Amino acid sequence: MDASAYGQISPSVPVWLNKGDNAWQMIAATLVATQSMPGLVILYASIVKKKWAVNSAFMALYAFAAVLICWVLLGYRMAFGDELLPFWGKGAPALGQDFLTSRARIPESTHTHEDGTKETIEPWYPMATLVYFQFTFAAITLILLAGSVLGRMNIKAWMAFVPLWLIFSYTVGAFSLWGGGFLYQWGAIDFSGGYVIHLSSGIAGLTAAYWVGPRLKSDRERFPPNNVLLMLAGAGLLWMGWSGFNGGAPYAANIDASIAILNTNVCAATSLLVWTSLDVIYFGKPSVIGAVQGMMTGLVCITPGAGLVQSWAAIVMGILSGSIPWVSMMVLHKKSALLQKVDDTLGVFHTHAVAGLLGGLLTGLLAEPELCALVLPERTRGAFYGGNGGVQFLKQMAAASFVISWNIVSTTIILLFIRLFIPLRMPEEELQIGDDAVHGEEAYALWGDGEKYDPTKHGRVTSLFGEENPVSRNVNDAVGVTINL
């Protein structure tokens, strides 16, 4: 659609503004933000042991807020600004009025075509929309990473880690693959973050888990979800929000956004069903947590190619994302000395690094030329479609190698630096008690937590503030045991 058809009816509607694209991009950004707040906040608070519910939710909450401020002060233009190095942009604030009200543009995204024409990514909406949309991706990356270190990382160390990792790790991957950096110019594909977000968070999460150290032995041996139904609510927000995650990647409300949304949901559903079927075959019963893991691996796997593969290919990717990460988590994990030693709390390495790498490589095989032409500046095809597709697969492998290497090295250096000033792991007494020791708060005001039994009051149950609770009077005497919820 020709944006100029709107005409300039007011200073807030310049001729380049496409109201439909702008509206969709802000909705997509809000959907992605909802994946984190409240999606992953709820999921993390529910999937962990009860004593870690508040701490896990708070790590996600803090990261969301901290990333936004760092993003507008420095991060956005390191990821999408003018080139400083082939893999990094020049950091600068993204707060100026003139900058935010100007037409969105990614400076280094210019490609020169074979006929000599040049093309730069310039969406039909203001820079403010693009800054916020890309922030939501940066935020969820840190929150996904947090899943590897739940239940023992010192919250003060996490508060220092978030801005440092955003600046020295995330922005490098984002500029290299999305902001016009060397991998973008080379033709490596990452449609919506299979490498920039998921491979990065999975590898960095495993690296962080190694340096932070494991949970208590008792927590590793038994770590049941404290609320399975609420966990499903968080997972549902994550799944539904993914339509904005991949549907916003074309930077427009266009045909490719529609393809990406359909493929995203098809792949996720297929992966969930395959993972669940494998659970039934090998363990004799379906697992709700397993279904959530399968959903997650499907969403991650389709992400690097969501708008670039045909829908039958999305089913193929779903079959593989429901089986290969299942094997890596359920079989290979138990046989690997390294993976047994490193305590990756939520298995982020399997659900994000393995699935993200799988998706990136499958995109190199299955990217369909006509769909690629809808959004990519260069002629691109997967190996399945012949021509130079084999080269594309090799590019995908090389890009993955760079992302993996950078995240291992940068995450290690950041954590070793923080360790000079702040212990990475909580002290033993906090690990034993959990939320109450770390935050002075507990997730549930249930009997045994929010209320205490006082034997001096003839079996009456009193609240923390000492008031008598007549409803619960003599419950312990009636059942003859102390009930611990």
Side-chain angles (χ1 to χ4, degrees), residues 16 23 70 79 92 107 128 171 197 269 288 296 302 317 321 400 442 464 469:
W16 48 258
C70 295
T171 57
I197 295 170
V288 175
M296 189 88 71
I302 193 63
M317 293 175 76
S321 66
E442 293 181 333
L464 290 173
N469 183 346

Side-chain angles (χ1 to χ4, degrees), residues 255-268 270 302 305-319 366-368 371 385:
I255 293 173
D256 207 56
S258 302
I259 295 292
I261 289 173
L262 178 61
N263 284 347
T264 296
N265 286 273
V266 166
C267 185
T270 304
I302 193 63
L308 308 175
V309 302
Q310 297 186 66
S311 291
W312 64 261
I315 293 178
V316 172
M317 293 175 76
I319 293 170
L366 298 171
E368 200 278 329
L371 290 175
Y385 295 94

Side-chain angles (χ1 to χ4, degrees), residues 404-415:
I404 291 169
S405 301
W406 186 271
N407 276 279
I408 292 173
V409 173
S410 63
T411 304
T412 296
I413 293 173
I414 290 167
L415 286 169

